[in-house]
Amino acid sequence: MNKAGICFLFILGLLPSTVNALSDTEKEAKWLLERLTGTRWPADDNLVLEMSQLITTQSRSAAAQRAMREPEFYNITIKQFALLMSTREETIRTPFNDFAASFIGVTRDDIDARQLLTGNFYYAAAASRIPAGVTIPMDIGDDMLASNKHYESLESQRLNLVNLLEKRDFQLLSINDANDTVLNPDAAGVLTSRAFLEAHATAGTNRRLVEFSFRQFLCSPIDSIADTMAPDVRIGRDIDRFPGGDPVKFQTTCKGCHTVMDGFRGAFAKWDFLNGTPIHSAAGGTQGRAPRADSRGIASKLNQNNNVYSGGYVTTDDSWINFANRGTNATNLMWRSNPTGNGVRGFGEQLANSQRFSQCMARRTFEMICKRTLPLEEQMLIYAQVGAQWETTGYKLKKLFEVIATHPKCRHPAGGSL
């Protein structure tokens, strides 16, 4: 290295880092901006200085609101927030999909987040907003229902998702190999999105749809809500009551989880995922889209292996019963709806109207923005407080992210201030 280079490095080493030279409010602004947008920002960026001024003259909330106007808040943070919930693998390393598109749209449009589990709509790119010279697969049947091409293309071409997406009323289903479409007869937001159904309705017995609905939207793994004392009247005929010849094992282990799962499983009784496409028996279908269902429209897989225990429950409709409403489940999940219903939309309403949904969304937001988990002794209090506050805002996700990002426990584990 020549003398000039050595001299430069020596001088650079004597200079304080740009970050260390920032004031406390500038450090706070930079931290807020990076956590809410999911990307690094130069310490001397004008936006950091603007947010620092907002913290000084107004509040941290005002600064957080400014950060959320940046497209990265949607294109990175909200997208990753949703992708974690959209597939069985629970990873952000999965292609952009209709599940994540709905989260971005609902957040941007300030829609009540409960509609993510109950609404009859979806989000896709508006043709008029696609930049000139860019080609995006736009066919609803081929590119959004029979495949994920539309959403993967939006991501692969690095387009600004938040500006491109538009809300489209009425979910659709493809009914034949020509990908003709009809209205979804049981639309329930992301619960009936292609991504969620592909992840959990492919093969299996549709119990996984219940399991992951609780896991993703109530932050409750199925074993955490097992109840061996609840009625087992809905457990299917494919579950052995004498595993290994031991009836005690069923009563003390298997029964607890299956009581809850099988009680709710009827919500998805008419759903399947075949040949890359979501199927509902009431929507009809021909050729490759024909549902594997009995004469009542019940997916065959719900009553399969019926010789394991012939006295088990036979699914005949899409009704469901909430058996997770006793004892600690009643206390922890805090239901606010009738304990019975029909279809996925009714099931989604049951989940979304529980206090646990609000607390779970608060927890997921905290872990996304603050990059850590709260100690167990603090979780119940803080998530309950934030969840209750969020409900008063009309379940607006932007408000939830603002409250979490500016919460004293987010930046400062001890709850202190700068």
Side-chain angles (χ1 to χ4, degrees), residues 139-193:
D139 186 82
I140 295 173
D142 285 327
D143 305 320
M144 301 180 201
L145 295 174
S147 75
N148 193 43
K149 293 177 184 176
H150 175 77
Y151 299 96
E152 290 183 26
S153 181
L154 294 177
E155 182 175 53
S156 66
Q157 300 200 51
R158 300 182 180 277
L159 299 177
N160 187 354
L161 301 173
V162 67
N163 287 347
L164 284 177
L165 294 173
E166 67 175 358
K167 181 173 179 282
R168 299 185 181 184
D169 292 326
F170 308 116
Q171 289 186 4
L172 301 170
L173 292 175
S174 179
I175 59 171
N176 54 38
D177 285 344
N179 284 322
D180 295 325
T181 60
V182 296
L183 293 176
N184 183 342
D186 189 19
V190 297
L191 294 178
T192 50
S193 65

